[in-house]
Amino acid sequence: MSDEVKQYSLEEIKEHNTAESVWCIYKNGVYDITHYIDEHPGGGEQLLDAAGGDLTAEFDDFGHSDNALQILKKLKIGELRMEDRVKGKKTENKEKSKGCCAIM
């Protein structure tokens, strides 16, 4: 059995955005949460809203328990490929620098 971690593109993850197949990103990890939807204590609707996207901010902002992190860990199927991580950070940095100016 290979120890190699499966890499997924943003495009692949975005395709899994229905109740039949729910994938999401958390801290660059890719998770298949399809079968967890009905078990989620906060209701499945919140997870469906994040389907195909990155739920890192929402997950961290809510302050989930260690138990929630353990459940998430079991649902991990791979990692977001490096090219897409870089792409997101470059876009984020461009957005942050739009209002930048130099004062002399």
Side-chain angles (χ1 to χ4, degrees), residues 70-85:
Q70 290 303 313
I71 292 168
L72 191 61
K73 188 176 181 178
K74 292 176 187 175
L75 301 174
K76 188 171 184 176
I77 58 171
E79 293 281 332
L80 181 62
R81 69 181 185 176
M82 197 57 70
E83 306 89 87
D84 289 326
R85 293 180 198 185

Side-chain angles (χ1 to χ4, degrees), residues 40-63:
H40 187 251
E45 192 64 35
Q46 293 170 326
L47 297 179
L48 286 172
D49 287 345
D54 191 326
L55 59 72
T56 303
E58 292 87 353
F59 190 94
D60 288 345
D61 286 348
F62 187 78

